[in-house]
Amino acid sequence: MAKSHIVFISTPGIGNLVPLVEFAQLLVNHDRRLHATILIITMSQRPIVNAYIQSRVATSTSITFLPLPPVDPPSPDQYRSTMGYISLLIQNHKRHVKNAITKLMSSDSAESKSSNSDQVVGFFVDMFCTSMIDVANELGIPCYLYFASPATFLSFMLHLPFLDAQNPAEFVDLGTELSIPGFVNSVPPLVLPTAVLNKKGDAYSWYLSHARRYTETKGIVVNTFRELESHALDSLDTSQVPQVYPIGLVLDLYEPTQKRDLNQYESVIRWLDDQPSSSVMLLCFGSMGSLSGPQVREIAYGLERAGVRFLWVLREPPKSQLDLPSDHANVEDVLPNGFLERTRELGMVCGWIPQAKILAHQSIGGFISHCGWNSILESLWYGVPIATWPIYAEQQMNAFEMVKELGLAIEVRLDYREGSDLVMGEEVDRSIKRLMNGGDVVRGRVKEMREKSRIALMENGSSHQALGVLIRNLVPKI
Ligand code: UDP
């Protein structure tokens, strides 16, 4: 059967790559004439990403994973932030990406002598892979942006060049809140991404440069659904923005992202099985989140005071700028003396676990989350209310959206900054009690959104329809 090939490339981060792979899977499941090739940028500092790719390669038949040859990493004088390093690393792969797609196109055209229709019909790049738009242009392939964050953040990024031109001063020094089209409320500068709060930093220049290129694409696929972000999506419906396709939620619910420690996973599930329904609070801070020693101790103090059942994913801060957090060799080293003993009946502390599987468990009743977009979507899918504790990337803005725009979460903090902020144990205790014992309005709204998220994916649901339109635009003859 003739195939229409679609090529994908993602930033090497679990929160970027997993939803991109799941989106590729969604496309090929939707139409068997589509074939997906995912170009892989390897980063040795990302063991969880590398393990995920290995497990996906082993289990996937309908997607080709194509590792790109290694490139020289950017030299330290070329970047000052992780964002700078990653953007340059991706950019350095352009030649290899062009070669890989050219090869794919020439094998397509060789095959097409018999089938007369195999071709590469689209190249999807993620929010930090915008340098690859050049490759698509050189090869004459339609380029699409795959956006794994909310529509509100997309709206912010598209608006950033205007905000930058209008406000030469730092945003926090403006003394006023910002009007951003995707938000109903005006937005306090302190919930902008940390990178955007320092205009002199290279991370800010990279954000701007990526944002400026989004409008060069033929369309933008967003991992969201209309019923969740209708205002933000409506604000994007203008002639200045390429067509937006809200096709979410795209989640990896069935294949745990990572089961590196099977024993730990099984003992967590055994423990959860013994707990009453909706009684356990999950604390998890994402693939890149870790907290300082004093903050860990305050959380421990808050948990003991609250006396609520808990499952706490506690990870060790990275050893260097480009590293990610890792599991503690011994968690007791960072917890208050005797904490594990005193809370033995009440909770568990663990390392990386497959979060979506945990959220699916009937004993989970609340989630203190760093508000990464995948985590938010997972919690909505399972109807588990969040208390917001944003740490990095666009998470402060996501927390603001969840609490202030949508009324779908309870606030611990909206503008937390690791290192310069400390949430005291009393505050942790109060937030936990509000989340687990009160917060009925939020809990009810989250349950409603859970139903809407499921309807969006059904045949003729809003996301299903958007996917159909996308496929018709990608491959008009199908
Ligand atoms: N995750 C997980 N186990 C962990 C921490 C994170 O499975 O201990 C998964 C989580 O379910 C989500 C992804 O990693 O799918 C993180 O993506 P998100 O957008 O929430 O945040 P990021 O880590 O990209 O900041």
Side-chain angles (χ1 to χ4, degrees):
M1 190 197 294
K3 290 272 184 199
S4 292
H5 292 264
I6 307 178
V7 183
F8 301 80
I9 193 159
S10 154
T11 307
I14 210 81
N16 305 80
L17 180 64
V18 174
L20 185 95
V21 172
E22 290 304 315
F23 168 57
Q25 188 71 61
L26 192 67
L27 285 173
V28 296
N29 288 351
H30 199 89
D31 197 306
R32 297 185 60 193
R33 281 165 290 189
L34 298 176
H35 185 86
T37 298
I38 302 188
L39 306 178
I40 299 294
I41 294 175
T42 308
M43 215 175 136
S44 59
Q45 300 91 340
R46 301 282 157 101
I48 289 178
V49 177
N50 301 336
Y52 166 75
I53 294 166
Q54 269 175 17
S55 74
R56 214 55 179 78
V57 168
T59 56
S60 180
T61 48
S62 49
I63 300 177
T64 304
F65 290 84
L66 196 64
L68 294 165
V71 297
D72 288 335
S75 62
D77 59 328
Q78 290 180 299
Y79 65 90
R80 279 176 287 139
S81 63
T82 307
M83 169 83 315
Y85 177 87
I86 290 194
S87 299
L88 286 166
L89 181 76
I90 293 169
Q91 187 171 289
N92 291 353
H93 282 79
K94 273 166 77 172
R95 187 167 53 85
H96 293 317
V97 169
K98 188 172 177 186
N99 289 344
I101 301 181
T102 306
K103 252 194 207 148
L104 207 58
M105 290 168 85
S106 54
S107 64
D108 287 349
S109 66
E111 281 168 27
S112 73
K113 289 196 178 88
S114 52
S115 70
N116 206 26
S117 57
D118 273 19
Q119 55 182 321
V120 176
V121 295
F123 184 22
F124 284 83
V125 304
D126 83 3
M127 61 170 80
F128 301 130
C129 289
T130 59
S131 52
M132 296 304 164
I133 295 172
D134 297 334
V135 177
N137 290 342
E138 284 166 36
L139 296 175
I141 303 170
C143 191
Y144 291 79
L145 178 68
Y146 182 72
F147 204 77
S149 286
T152 44
F153 184 57
L154 173 61
S155 158
F156 166 73
M157 288 296 269
L158 290 166
H159 198 57
L160 185 58
F162 300 98
L163 285 174
D164 181 68
Q166 281 164 7
N167 304 292
E170 295 289 355
F171 295 119
V172 277
D173 295 335
L174 291 176
T176 160
E177 298 192 332
L178 302 167
S179 169
I180 299 172
F183 288 83
V184 175
N185 298 287
S186 54
V187 178
L190 276 176
V191 305
L192 302 185
T194 305
V196 172
L197 295 184
N198 172 16
K199 290 190 172 177
K200 295 186 195 75
D202 73 334
Y204 180 74
S205 316
W206 277 109
Y207 260 65
L208 252 185
S209 126
H210 290 303
R212 286 200 170 105
R213 301 211 63 184
Y214 291 173
T215 50
E216 292 176 41
T217 58
K218 190 160 182 233
I220 306 180
V221 173
V222 191
N223 189 7
T224 190
F225 55 105
R226 178 154 291 285
E227 292 72 10
L228 178 63
E229 292 200 275
S230 56
H231 174 81
L233 288 167
D234 287 345
S235 80
L236 294 166
D237 191 9
T238 78
S239 57
Q240 285 98 49
V241 178
Q243 184 165 358
V244 171
Y245 304 89
I247 50 77
L249 341 63
V250 180
L251 299 172
D252 178 17
L253 299 174
Y254 307 107
E255 299 245 352
T257 300
Q258 181 56 263
K259 262 200 187 177
R260 278 176 316 154
D261 189 341
L262 201 56
N263 289 340
Q264 171 184 261
Y265 173 67
E266 284 171 353
S267 70
V268 165
I269 292 292
R270 266 198 308 277
W271 182 76
L272 287 175
D273 286 345
D274 288 340
Q275 308 309 315
S277 175
S278 299
S279 68
V280 179
M281 194 193 54
L282 170 68
L283 296 91
C284 187
F285 298 92
S287 61
M288 305 182 196
S290 60
L291 299 165
S292 66
Q295 187 59 81
V296 168
R297 286 189 287 281
E298 289 299 326
I299 292 180
Y301 174 53
L303 285 170
E304 279 201 73
R305 263 179 74 118
V308 163
R309 289 184 178 78
F310 66 87
L311 174 64
W312 182 5
V313 182
L314 180 56
R315 310 195 71 231
E316 188 173 26
K319 310 246 174 347
S320 71
Q321 188 192 13
L322 298 173
D323 283 336
L324 292 185
S326 51
D327 289 354
H328 283 281
N330 185 2
V331 281
E332 276 179 86
D333 294 346
V334 288
L335 291 168
N337 270 343
F339 172 82
L340 289 179
E341 188 50 36
R342 289 193 298 280
T343 58
R344 203 153 44 96
E345 302 293 316
L346 207 59
M348 270 190 95
V349 178
C350 63
W352 178 281
I353 33 127
Q355 182 185 278
K357 289 241 166 202
I358 303 299
L359 284 167
H361 199 284
Q362 51 85 29
S363 70
I364 299 291
F367 180 19
I368 292 197
S369 172
H370 76 310
C371 297
W373 190 238
N374 295 294
S375 296
I376 287 176
L377 294 180
E378 287 162 14
S379 79
L380 290 176
W381 181 255
Y382 288 116
V384 178
I386 280 181
T388 60
W389 192 315
I391 302 189
Y392 53 94
E394 88 290 9
Q395 292 149 13
Q396 287 81 6
M397 209 174 230
N398 296 351
F400 180 79
E401 175 178 15
M402 287 295 283
V403 173
K404 302 289 186 196
E405 297 274 303
L406 305 178
L408 285 171
I410 284 165
E411 167 181 351
V412 179
R413 284 291 165 87
L414 300 181
D415 57 0
Y416 180 83
R417 307 275 161 195
E418 175 58 12
S420 58
D421 207 348
L422 189 65
V423 182
M424 302 309 288
E426 292 79 5
E427 217 178 323
V428 174
D429 168 29
R430 275 197 304 277
S431 306
I432 293 172
K433 286 180 180 148
R434 269 182 65 216
L435 179 67
M436 299 302 284
N437 306 332
D440 286 342
V441 176
V442 168
R443 197 169 288 272
R445 291 175 64 88
V446 169
K447 293 272 182 262
E448 267 172 39
M449 199 49 79
R450 172 190 196 273
E451 299 319 313
K452 288 181 180 167
S453 71
R454 283 155 196 257
I455 293 170
L457 295 187
M458 286 176 186
E459 195 153 353
N460 293 324
S462 61
S463 296
H464 187 266
Q465 285 186 8
L467 186 69
V469 176
L470 172 68
I471 293 180
R472 280 196 293 282
N473 290 344
L474 266 172
V475 201
K477 287 184 218 84
I478 283 186

